[in-house]
């Protein structure tokens, strides 16, 4: 099994930058494509970004494209989400997830999930 732990969330001002990290253990990290999802109060969990097994391909939700960057360091078993020019609507609990299917924005295809880290953006 794969265990995932997110970190890096916090309270920031609109326009600021933040970097989230997710560290994995339990399996060979490069066997999995990785994704970031978020859930805001009163809303369904939504796709944010995904990255292929070796980092060669990335995909983003339209709402974050051009502002967020997903990356990974397989030697460190870590995936990152760099958040730039954050907006109040980015406020959510952010989750990382792992899938053996291949990079995808479909949450149902992910096998392992972290417990989440809170990001709050004030105006």
């Amino acid at each position: 099994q794969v265990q995932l732990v997110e970190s890096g969330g916090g309270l920031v001002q609109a326009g600021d930058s933040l970097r989230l990290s997710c560290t994995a253990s339990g399996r060979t990290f490069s066997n999995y494509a990785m994704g970031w999802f978020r859930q805001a109060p009163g809303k369904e969990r939504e796709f944010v970004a995904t990255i292929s097994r070796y980092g060669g391909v990335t995909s983003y939700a339209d709402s974050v494209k051009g502002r967020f960057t997903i990356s990974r360091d397989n030697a460190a078993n870590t995936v990152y989400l760099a958040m730039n020019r954050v907006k109040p609507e980015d406020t959510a609990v952010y989750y990382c997830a792992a899938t053996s299917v291949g990079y995808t924005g479909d949450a149902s295809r992910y096998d392992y999930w972290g417990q989440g880290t809170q990001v709050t953006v004030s105006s």
Side-chain angles (χ1 to χ4, degrees), residues 8-22:
L11 175 63
V12 294
Q13 186 77 20
D16 283 355
S17 297
L18 196 66
R19 188 174 78 160
L20 308 183
S21 299
C22 174

Side-chain angles (χ1 to χ4, degrees), residues 12-18 67 83-88 90 121-123:
V12 294
Q13 186 77 20
D16 283 355
S17 297
L18 196 66
R67 298 189 298 117
M83 306 168 62
N84 297 316
R85 302 188 303 279
V86 295
K87 304 175 180 179
D90 295 323
V121 182
S122 66
S123 59

